[in-house]
Amino acid sequence: MASRSCSNFFDLASGGLLDIPHTPRVLPRVMTVPGIISDVDGYGSTDGDSDVCHERKIIVANMLPLHAKRDAETGKWCFSLDEDSPYLQLKDGFSPETEVLYVGSLKVEIDATEQDEVAQKLLDDFKCVPTFLPHELQKKFYLLFCKQTLWPLFHYMLPMCPDHGDRFDRSLWQAYVSANKIFADKVMEIINPEDDCVWVHDYHLMVLPTFLRKRSTRIRLGFFLHSPFPSSEIYRTLPVRDEILRGLLNCDLIGFHTFDYARHFLSCCSRMLGLDYESKRGHIGLDYYGRTVYIKILPVGVHMGRLESVLNLASTSAKIKEIQEQFKGKKVILGVDDMDIFKGISLKLLALEQLLKHHTELQGKIVLVQIVNPARGSGKDVQEAKRETYLIAQRINKDYGSPNYEPVILIDRHVPRFEKSAYYAVAECCIVNAVRDGMNLVPYKYIVCRQGTPDMDEAMGRKSDSPRTSMLVVSEFIGCSPSLSGAIRVNPWDIDAVADALESAITMRDSEKQLRHEKHYRYVSSHDVAYWARSFMQDLERACKDHYTKRCWGIGLGLRFRVVSLSPGFRKLSIEHIVSTYRRTNRRAIFLDYDGTVVPQNSIIKTPSPEVISVLNVLCNDPKNTVFIVSGRGQDSLSEWFAPCEMLGIAAEHGYFLRWNRSSKWETSPVAADLDWKNIVEPVMGLYTEATDGSNIEIKESALVWHHQDADPDFGSCQSKELVDHLENVLANEPAVVNRGNLIVEVKPQGVSKGLAAEKVLSRMVHSGNAPDFVMCIGDDRSDEDMFESILSTVSSPSLPAAPEIFACTVGQKPSKAKYYLEDNTEVVKLLHGLATASSPKPRSLPHIQVSFESTV
């Protein structure tokens, strides 16, 4: 298929899929700033004769919401919509004018000779775009990698030995990536990146966002994970853990069923990628290269209309009467589960066995009907689970049954929806005992069926105002558990506790059952699948609202690709540009941070290199320059390291100490004479150091710093937040400020900052008659933001005869008050070399370094 936009989606170069006349599109939005597209008057407006381009959503899932079978007579493929698919049902959450397209695979294999015809039919009739994965790729991608590697891992099962899951196979991972790439190609065939929203579903397609983001940096992209997300201790064992995390982070919004799953994902991002998250007006956001990736927590719901329509069927009412007659005088407990090792069917049976053993009065009065859905995967573990289930059921029926009574009824076949609904409607109690499950909508369906409908009441001869009751026993390890506050929550591994829960559910008073049911029904009926879809899309729109207010560009190769998103005026500092300005100015002020700016941030060697010393000496020896190192480090270290630089100014401990050159005396900040608060802070920090393995205290003359870079990331972050709160309380009336930085908590005097130090230097230059006409400031962390802000405000002062040229530059592509950026300290040193070569007097000798003059980005 050729690429299509919203207006010409059906009008393909191949002749067009439908006979829809082509309507010329209005002029596109105009790019006024590089990378920024702004609205112009009239964009999107139409006159009375123009066609309106409706909103479109593209839903991408592993399987299309379709049934497929061959016609026995014609041999042609016949397709029909799968009315039970949540991907089809979520359309109810969109406006009627919204066009919804689906991208995914079919559940059947289509011969290559028939694929074009089938693809055309599916697009015309169902707005579906099939991916047609080759057979071998589909097997490796879905059956082997998704079901045998990702599925067990996401359900907390590690391949400790060959009998417990398959070990990681790089070739299967490559198949997974290849399949995701094919899905991306199909999406790009039909998408208009400026206008369409793409919603990707589930763990089969976790690197798809990377491929889509690479094609269009501003694509509106959401992802929802329908399975659990494991804790970092489990997830970190996956050899491709970073690639998958980065894939998900290329979305604008990532959805999870529960906060637990979201918390695990955020912990993995923190521990493996070093990313921090915060709550922004009630929404959790991760800052990822200038983009905010939002986290959505909302469990999927059921389709009320679909369930109620099945309850209204005559076949359902007839089946209900049949079941009531079959189990007359007995209470029915219902279980509906897939046959796999995570659904806990055998544990459920053991709990029933325990219940019958200790409560003999219930023998002959309760029946567990266990409906077993066909297994979605294959393998030895499924066969073992099935074998164990049958053995336990046979034992229970033998020990506690009679010729006319079986405590356990196993229904291991395809069960039509009307029959399932009938069992839901009859059951006194429903138990979902999974040891790990993503969502599981069985409890929701049970609640709706127990509520019934007016038509069903009439068919059953039941009064419409008669009280409705239901009881749920749910595992605390399933996604819907937090939303069912009236259910009895259990640990499925605790057989005794599950047995007790079943006994409580059966013997509970009807009045209490009614109250629990009413509470659940209110939630389930108001939080249906349409509500879920509508809420997700609203949050996706909110997450994408800044797409066109920032400059975006892609960096990174392969699956490490990501988008950097920064403010329009933020650009890379061109050496050619700054050197040109440097040459034509005569009174220059240069401020340089130390760690992360002139030396690498994470280097074990903290002393400046001979190259840095040499280039700083050249800059300092130019009489037109005033050069300062402005650092949070102590005066002793900086004095020792920069002893060879006679004319270099140093502002130590964020400017608490300031020295204009090596021969001048240190000046102490007059606003911070009282340091008695250190006697309060040090014991508090000592408590947290003792309690936090890997942390330490750095004692400066004017400040105290608590470092936790070697502590557990989550615990260190938690302790640092607590320490900040603790210190702010005890220092409420003291002249000190508490700052939380990158893996540190620092307490320093009020009125001391790098910004104030820079202001002091600039003010003295102005008062001495040497008002600067060139100011350059380079730094890499939060404390340097004060310096950028201070310089911008100081140089705009009316006391200056003319506004100087300002170059505020941060290190690394990240949100900043600076206008420019350089990638790393290597580029900083290269820039300093460029300035040094333009200095007067010319340097006699400089270490050889290649300086490239590049145009401004």
Side-chain angles (χ1 to χ4, degrees):
M1 293 184 186
S3 179
R4 289 166 278 189
S5 69
C6 190
S7 61
N8 64 2
F9 172 65
F10 296 109
D11 190 10
L12 302 184
S14 59
L17 295 179
L18 293 176
D19 293 326
I20 296 178
H22 175 70
T23 302
R25 189 176 179 176
V26 294
L27 288 174
R29 284 174 284 186
V30 179
M31 185 176 290
T32 55
V33 178
I36 303 295
I37 298 179
S38 60
D39 289 331
V40 295
D41 291 341
Y43 177 75
S45 64
T46 58
D47 56 33
D49 299 324
S50 299
D51 289 343
V52 177
C53 180
H54 293 304
E55 183 183 22
R56 296 200 315 169
K57 314 287 188 194
I58 300 174
I59 309 299
V60 191
N62 181 42
M63 291 296 174
L64 291 170
L66 296 172
H67 294 301
K69 66 176 181 179
R70 275 194 185 276
D71 186 281
E73 295 181 4
T74 64
K76 295 283 188 180
W77 282 106
C78 298
F79 300 95
S80 61
L81 291 172
D82 179 2
E83 300 290 346
D84 295 324
S85 170
Y87 306 130
L88 185 66
Q89 295 170 353
L90 61 78
K91 288 173 62 176
D92 286 4
F94 308 148
S95 67
E97 294 79 22
T98 302
E99 182 182 10
V100 181
L101 296 107
Y102 295 92
V103 177
S105 296
L106 289 165
K107 298 169 186 174
V108 295
E109 190 171 346
I110 306 294
D111 189 84
T113 59
E114 301 175 284
Q115 288 179 2
D116 287 345
E117 179 185 354
V118 167
Q120 183 78 58
K121 180 178 178 61
L122 293 182
L123 186 59
D124 291 349
D125 296 348
F126 304 102
K127 296 190 182 298
C128 290
V129 179
T131 53
F132 296 131
L133 299 183
H135 175 77
E136 193 61 28
L137 179 63
Q138 172 73 12
K139 177 184 176 183
K140 288 182 176 180
F141 156 65
Y142 180 68
L143 292 177
L144 297 180
F145 192 78
C146 288
K147 299 305 291 185
Q148 299 297 323
T149 301
L150 290 181
W151 176 259
L153 184 83
F154 276 42
H155 288 73
Y156 288 73
M157 183 172 147
L158 292 174
M160 304 300 289
C161 61
D163 290 338
H164 290 82
D166 293 343
R167 299 283 171 82
F168 179 81
D169 185 330
R170 183 67 59 175
S171 67
L172 300 183
W173 163 247
Q174 290 167 351
Y176 180 86
V177 173
S178 298
N180 276 243
K181 175 73 162 51
I182 291 173
F183 274 79
D185 293 340
K186 291 297 181 182
V187 172
M188 295 311 298
E189 286 180 7
I190 61 172
I191 192 174
N192 175 23
E194 284 188 17
D195 300 317
D196 299 343
C197 284
V198 181
W199 190 358
V200 181
H201 290 267
D202 224 1
Y203 66 98
H204 316 91
L205 303 172
M206 290 189 291
V207 298
L208 172 61
T210 294
F211 292 118
L212 294 178
R213 187 68 66 187
K214 196 168 187 178
R215 307 282 186 90
S216 174
T217 57
R218 288 191 176 87
I219 190 171
R220 293 187 289 173
L221 186 54
F223 180 93
F224 196 91
L225 183 67
H226 293 267
S227 79
F229 196 93
S231 66
S232 60
E233 286 75 15
I234 298 293
Y235 180 78
R236 72 198 309 168
T237 64
L238 187 63
V240 290
R241 61 192 190 184
D242 287 3
E243 290 87 337
I244 288 176
L245 288 179
R246 293 182 188 280
L248 295 177
L249 289 169
N250 274 316
C251 296
D252 297 295
L253 179 67
I254 308 170
F256 298 92
H257 286 306
T258 72
F259 176 68
D260 272 352
Y261 303 159
R263 178 169 55 84
H264 294 159
F265 171 76
L266 293 169
S267 177
C268 288
C269 290
S270 173
R271 289 172 176 271
M272 294 158 212
L273 301 181
L275 302 178
D276 287 328
Y277 66 90
E278 61 181 351
S279 181
K280 300 180 178 181
R281 295 187 176 181
H283 300 278
I284 300 174
L286 273 163
D287 185 73
Y288 188 58
Y289 291 92
R291 292 172 52 245
T292 299
V293 181
Y294 287 94
I295 305 299
K296 174 79 170 175
I297 301 166
L298 182 66
V300 69
V302 294
H303 192 285
M304 297 294 292
R306 174 65 175 160
L307 289 172
E308 290 170 349
S309 66
V310 175
L311 289 174
N312 290 334
L313 295 174
S315 55
T316 305
S317 298
K319 190 65 182 178
I320 290 174
K321 293 176 181 177
E322 179 187 325
I323 296 171
Q324 287 175 332
E325 183 63 30
Q326 179 184 355
F327 299 113
K328 192 172 183 180
K330 300 178 180 67
K331 292 188 175 183
V332 176
I333 302 171
L334 180 66
V336 181
D337 302 279
D338 295 344
M339 178 54 77
D340 73 46
I341 58 176
F342 300 112
K343 293 300 186 285
I345 299 176
S346 58
L347 294 174
K348 185 189 307 182
L349 295 178
L350 291 174
L352 179 73
E353 184 177 37
Q354 192 83 335
L355 178 65
L356 293 172
K357 178 180 178 181
H358 292 288
H359 294 273
T360 55
E361 73 280 4
L362 294 177
Q363 294 177 18
K365 295 182 180 178
I366 60 171
V367 175
L368 171 63
V369 177
Q370 177 63 53
I371 297 175
V372 180
N373 298 323
R376 299 186 188 184
S378 58
K380 188 162 53 176
D381 54 348
V382 174
Q383 298 306 316
E384 287 179 356
K386 188 171 185 177
R387 176 175 165 274
E388 184 182 18
T389 298
Y390 271 87
L391 285 174
I392 298 173
Q394 289 168 5
R395 185 177 74 229
I396 294 172
N397 287 336
K398 180 182 177 183
D399 293 345
Y400 301 102
S402 64
N404 298 317
Y405 167 65
E406 286 188 336
V408 179
I409 306 292
L410 281 180
I411 304 177
D412 189 2
R413 57 173 170 81
H414 171 70
V415 179
R417 177 160 287 276
F418 79 88
E419 184 178 349
K420 233 179 241 185
S421 298
Y423 276 108
Y424 282 134
V426 170
E428 291 278 333
C429 171
C430 179
I431 175 170
V432 180
N433 205 48
V435 297
R436 189 70 62 179
D437 210 352
M439 181 57 194
N440 201 314
L441 293 174
V442 166
Y444 287 9
K445 294 174 182 177
Y446 168 68
I447 294 296
V448 176
C449 292
R450 287 291 286 179
Q451 180 70 18
T453 65
D455 288 352
M456 189 181 86
D457 291 341
E458 185 178 345
M460 300 298 300
R462 183 172 62 178
K463 292 181 179 180
S464 59
D465 60 350
S466 61
R468 309 300 157 97
T469 63
S470 62
M471 273 310 300
L472 282 166
V473 176
V474 298
S475 164
E476 60 192 49
F477 301 118
I478 64 174
C480 66
S481 176
S483 63
L484 297 169
S485 56
I488 301 176
R489 297 191 183 100
V490 294
N491 173 4
W493 300 101
D494 188 343
I495 305 298
D496 293 333
V498 178
D500 291 341
L502 287 172
E503 193 270 338
S504 296
I506 293 166
T507 59
M508 188 177 290
R509 297 191 312 273
D510 283 349
S511 58
E512 186 172 347
K513 290 181 182 179
Q514 183 182 347
L515 289 173
R516 291 173 184 250
H517 170 80
E518 289 172 353
K519 184 176 185 180
H520 288 157
Y521 184 74
R522 279 195 301 271
Y523 177 85
V524 173
S525 59
S526 60
H527 291 72
D528 60 357
V529 67
Y531 173 87
W532 169 72
R534 185 166 54 252
S535 179
F536 187 91
M537 277 301 171
Q538 286 172 351
D539 279 10
L540 180 58
E541 292 288 348
R542 186 185 297 111
C544 299
K545 63 181 173 58
D546 292 334
H547 272 201
Y548 287 96
T549 63
K550 293 187 175 182
R551 299 176 66 246
C552 301
W553 64 94
I555 59 173
L557 299 175
L559 295 177
R560 296 184 66 84
F561 177 85
R562 64 269 190 201
V563 168
V564 175
S565 178
L566 299 167
S567 60
F570 191 69
R571 58 186 183 272
K572 189 168 185 178
L573 182 55
S574 162
I575 298 179
E576 182 182 33
H577 175 53
I578 194 172
V579 167
S580 173
T581 306
Y582 181 87
R583 283 195 175 110
R584 66 173 184 266
T585 52
N586 297 302
R587 296 177 304 279
R588 312 177 190 116
I590 298 172
F591 300 96
L592 301 170
D593 175 41
Y594 185 68
D595 293 281
T597 301
V598 295
V599 297
Q601 179 69 52
N602 298 319
S603 173
I604 297 176
I605 302 173
K606 295 300 181 183
T607 56
S609 65
E611 176 188 353
V612 168
I613 295 293
S614 177
V615 75
L616 286 177
N617 266 327
V618 173
L619 292 173
C620 292
N621 290 334
D622 187 330
K624 297 179 180 179
N625 293 344
T626 300
V627 184
F628 264 82
I629 291 289
V630 186
S631 172
R633 287 190 174 272
Q635 58 177 333
D636 293 339
S637 299
L638 294 174
S639 295
E640 179 184 347
W641 294 342
F642 290 104
C645 301
E646 184 177 353
M647 301 305 296
L648 177 67
I650 297 176
E653 297 191 21
H654 299 291
Y656 181 79
F657 298 105
L658 191 142
R659 187 181 76 180
W660 287 83
N661 53 55
R662 191 177 65 190
S663 59
S664 66
K665 293 183 178 181
W666 286 99
E667 300 174 12
T668 304
S669 173
V671 299
D674 180 9
L675 298 177
D676 291 343
W677 50 262
K678 291 176 70 176
N679 297 325
I680 302 172
V681 172
E682 191 170 354
V684 175
M685 285 188 171
L687 291 174
Y688 284 81
T689 303
E690 185 178 338
T692 312
D693 188 37
S695 66
N696 62 83
I697 303 172
E698 178 187 359
I699 300 176
K700 301 178 183 178
E701 191 160 335
S702 69
L704 291 169
V705 186
W706 187 73
H707 295 267
H708 61 94
Q709 67 266 29
D710 295 326
D712 176 90
D714 285 343
F715 186 52
S717 177
C718 176
Q719 289 288 80
S720 69
K721 293 175 185 176
E722 182 65 28
L723 176 58
V724 168
D725 289 341
H726 194 156
L727 290 173
E728 285 178 344
N729 284 330
V730 299
L731 295 174
N733 299 314
E734 299 292 335
V737 292
V738 183
N739 292 321
R740 184 167 176 250
N742 183 25
L743 302 176
I744 66 163
V745 173
E746 182 173 32
V747 184
K748 62 183 181 181
Q750 287 179 349
V752 173
S753 71
K754 288 185 178 182
L756 292 173
E759 278 184 30
K760 183 175 182 179
V761 173
L762 292 173
S763 297
R764 192 167 301 185
M765 290 179 69
V766 171
H767 293 147
S768 64
N770 292 311
D773 54 7
F774 174 100
V775 179
M776 183 183 79
C777 176
I778 306 179
D780 75 309
D781 63 19
R782 294 180 188 176
S783 63
D784 299 310
E785 296 296 316
D786 291 337
M787 196 157 48
F788 301 147
E789 187 175 24
S790 177
I791 285 172
L792 293 171
S793 62
T794 301
V795 296
S796 60
S797 169
S799 62
L800 292 179
E805 298 282 353
I806 305 169
F807 296 91
C809 178
T810 189
V811 181
Q813 299 179 30
K814 58 182 181 292
S816 173
K817 294 172 184 174
K819 185 178 180 180
Y820 301 97
Y821 75 90
L822 292 170
E823 294 288 356
D824 50 32
N825 79 291
T826 303
E827 289 199 353
V828 174
V829 175
K830 187 183 291 187
L831 170 65
L832 296 179
H833 270 279
L835 299 180
T837 56
S839 289
S840 175
K842 295 291 183 185
R844 296 179 182 176
S845 62
L846 268 176
H848 176 70
I849 184 167
Q850 183 177 350
V851 181
S852 61
F853 296 102
E854 51 188 298
S855 60
T856 304
V857 175

